[in-house]
Amino acid sequence: MWILVMFDLPTDTKTQRKAAGDFRNFLLDEGYERCQFSNYARFVNGKEAVETRINRIERALPAWGDVQILNFTDRQFRDIVHFSDQSRRGTRKNPEQLVLF
C-alpha cells in the first residue's frame, strides 16, 4: 500500500511558516518522499500500517491549513502517469519487500 499526504498550509506569518516547515520535516523524518512541494508519499505494509501512519500524522498536524491523506495499492501507484519537463516518465517501481528470518 501507498500513502499520499497532500497539504495546503498557510505561510503568512512567521509562526505559520515554522509550523509548515516542521510538518514537512516530520514527514521526511517519518520516511515519506517528496513528490511535489506539498505532496509526500510513503510505501507501507498493509491497511493496519496505513491506520498507524494516519494516527501519527494526526498527532503532528499544524494548527492551520488543510491536510488530505490518500491510500492506494501498489498496482494503482504503478499505473500513475507522470510527466516531467514535458515528457512522459517511465512507470514507477515499487520498493522490494524486505524479508527477515
Side-chain angles (χ1 to χ4, degrees), residues 9-99:
L9 303 177
T11 56
D12 298 328
T13 67
K14 186 175 183 179
T15 304
Q16 290 173 336
R17 284 190 295 276
K18 180 172 180 354
D22 288 347
F23 186 67
R24 282 188 190 90
N25 288 333
F26 164 78
L27 291 174
L28 292 171
D29 291 344
E30 289 289 308
Y32 292 82
E33 58 186 67
R34 183 176 151 185
C35 301
Q36 292 183 355
F37 190 67
S38 295
N39 295 315
Y40 288 73
R42 184 174 200 269
F43 179 77
V44 295
N45 263 339
K47 289 234 178 237
E48 297 83 19
V50 169
E51 286 303 318
T52 300
R53 293 294 167 184
I54 289 173
N55 291 335
R56 291 177 65 84
I57 290 169
E58 186 175 13
R59 289 192 300 269
L61 288 174
W64 311 276
D66 295 318
V67 176
Q68 298 174 352
I69 302 171
L70 303 173
N71 65 73
F72 41 90
T73 65
D74 294 340
R75 183 179 178 103
Q76 290 168 322
F77 183 78
R78 187 191 70 217
D79 292 342
I80 293 173
V81 178
H82 179 196
F83 291 94
S84 180
D85 297 329
Q86 306 307 323
S87 62
R88 184 180 277 218
R89 293 279 175 121
T91 58
R92 298 178 184 203
K93 300 216 187 253
N94 291 317
E96 296 296 324
Q97 296 285 334
L98 178 63
V99 178

